[in-house]
């Protein structure tokens, strides 16, 4: 059902309908942000990269082939490629000593709640960073993006069986690392 | 566990208004030429490195062509060692 709606949205996007873009963002924006937050080595860049992903989708919508992949698979594949590229650049920037200083903490009301959220994010990110790349990507595609096993397999270019194995290992490792905090 | 992980990753992810606004604004704006800062150039060193290697090769070729005909290596080494005439 959602996949059918996505396909209609993609057809509208290819025709240049901006309302379709708003619809796509409403449907996939939250999951995509979460996915990028987990997969990027610099989580604060997730918003920027989510924008970049949707702009790429817009410019390439006419080339989308529904016979090859579901819209969600296509969207997350674009996001994953962008994230891998961004991580590579960030690594090189760190090597050169050019990586930007993290944002200062916000002194506005509500900053305490934000601080708590940031601490949870930092712990989660630290735990995720200990997982092998494929395990982390598969787990985030499922947990953040809500993709099916088949869609994850298509996004990562591996078999559904391999995806299931990655998910089982990733969850077990994460449970050990966080001592059940993420339950 | 998946739900807890998703929640931990981006507390305000459901509020997509800023994301939607930013993307739609960028869609209607004419694309401006991007001037990369020095750091971005250094992060992607391939074009600069290729230019450097090209210039290096050009300099070597010019030097080779401009140099007078050199004596053979044995004579040069012998001369350096003080064994020459």
């Amino acid at each position: 059902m959602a996949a059918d709606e996505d396909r209609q949205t993609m057809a509208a996007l290819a025709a240049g309908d901006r309302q379709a873009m708003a619809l796509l963002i409403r449907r996939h924006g939250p999951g995509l942000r979460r996915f990028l937050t987990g997969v990027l080595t610099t989580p604060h860049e997730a918003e920027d990269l989510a924008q970049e992903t949707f702009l790429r989708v817009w410019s390439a919508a006419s080339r989308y082939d529904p016979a090859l992949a579901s819209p969600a698979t296509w969207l997350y594949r674009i996001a994953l490629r962008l994230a891998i590229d961004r991580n590579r650049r960030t690594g090189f920037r760190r090597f050169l000593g050019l990586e930007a200083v993290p944002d200062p903490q916000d002194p506005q009301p509500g900053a305490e709640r934000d601080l708590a959220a940031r601490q949870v994010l930092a712990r989660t990110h630290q735990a995720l960073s200990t997982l092998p790349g494929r395990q982390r990507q598969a787990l985030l595609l499922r947990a953040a993006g809500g993709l099916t096993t088949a869609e994850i397999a298509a996004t990562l270019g591996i078999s559904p069986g391999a995806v299931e194995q990655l998910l089982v290992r990733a969850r077990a490792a994460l449970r050990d690392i966080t001592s059940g905090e993420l339950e | 566990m998946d739900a807890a992980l998703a929640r931990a990753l981006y507390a305000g992810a459901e509020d997509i208004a800023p994301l939607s606004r930013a993307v739609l604004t960028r869609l209607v704006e004419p694309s401006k030429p991007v001037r990369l800062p020095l750091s971005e150039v250094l992060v992607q060193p391939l074009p600069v490195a290729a230019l450097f290697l090209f210039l290096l090769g050009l300099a070597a070729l010019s030097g080779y062509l401009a140099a007078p005909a050199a004596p053979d290596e044995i004579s040069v080494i012998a001369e350096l060692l003080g064994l020459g005439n």
Side-chain angles (χ1 to χ4, degrees):
Chain A
M1 182 68 183
D4 289 343
E5 287 175 4
D6 273 352
R7 285 196 179 89
Q8 288 170 7
T9 307
M10 290 305 301
L13 273 182
D17 182 357
R18 292 197 185 100
Q19 289 298 319
M21 174 53 82
L23 195 64
L24 193 74
I25 293 172
R26 191 157 64 233
R27 207 172 289 147
H28 292 290
L32 191 69
R33 277 165 156 179
R34 289 190 173 111
F35 171 72
L36 289 170
T37 304
V39 87
L40 283 170
T41 53
T42 46
H44 61 274
E45 291 186 314
E47 181 78 14
D48 177 47
L49 214 60
Q51 286 182 27
E52 195 60 44
T53 303
F54 283 115
L55 290 171
R56 291 283 177 99
V57 167
W58 173 263
S59 59
S62 58
R63 294 198 299 273
Y64 169 70
D65 183 356
L68 295 179
S70 74
T73 301
W74 192 62
L75 176 76
Y76 278 90
R77 204 185 289 161
I78 291 173
L80 183 61
R81 279 200 206 119
L82 287 173
I84 289 170
D85 187 49
R86 184 66 65 97
N87 283 343
R88 203 179 57 236
R89 289 185 190 198
T90 304
F92 198 80
R93 273 200 203 98
R94 283 185 178 156
F95 174 72
L96 293 175
L98 295 170
E99 176 60 6
V101 178
D103 297 336
Q105 290 176 2
D106 185 5
Q108 300 298 316
E112 207 168 295
R113 191 189 55 213
D114 290 349
L115 178 64
R118 268 201 293 266
Q119 286 172 342
V120 171
L121 171 61
R123 284 200 299 275
T124 308
H125 206 265
Q126 173 65 29
L128 282 171
S129 68
T130 62
L131 299 179
R134 284 289 190 192
Q135 285 185 25
R136 185 170 64 244
Q137 290 162 7
L139 183 61
L140 287 168
L141 286 169
R142 169 60 58 82
L147 267 59
T148 63
T149 301
E151 286 174 332
I152 297 171
T155 304
L156 297 180
I158 56 178
S159 71
V163 170
E164 287 297 343
Q165 282 187 9
L166 287 173
L167 288 174
V168 168
R169 287 182 192 150
R171 288 187 184 120
L174 204 59
R175 199 171 286 123
D176 284 348
I177 295 162
T178 60
S179 308
E181 190 184 357
L182 285 175
E183 294 286 355
Chain B
M1 181 184 193
D2 289 0
L5 175 61
R7 271 197 308 276
L9 281 175
Y10 202 122
E14 300 302 329
D15 178 18
I16 47 95
L19 175 63
S20 191
R21 200 162 40 240
V23 172
L24 293 174
T25 304
R26 285 174 70 179
L27 283 184
V28 295
E29 277 177 354
S31 58
K32 289 174 265 185
V34 180
R35 187 178 165 79
L36 292 177
L38 178 63
S39 59
E40 288 296 328
V41 176
L42 290 173
V43 165
Q44 300 179 58
L46 198 59
V48 178
L51 178 66
F52 177 74
L53 287 176
F54 172 74
L55 291 175
L56 196 66
L58 198 64
L61 185 66
S62 308
Y64 178 76
L65 292 176
D72 64 282
E73 290 86 351
I74 301 292
S75 308
V76 173
I77 293 169
E79 195 173 330
L80 284 172
L81 294 174
L83 302 173
N85 298 326

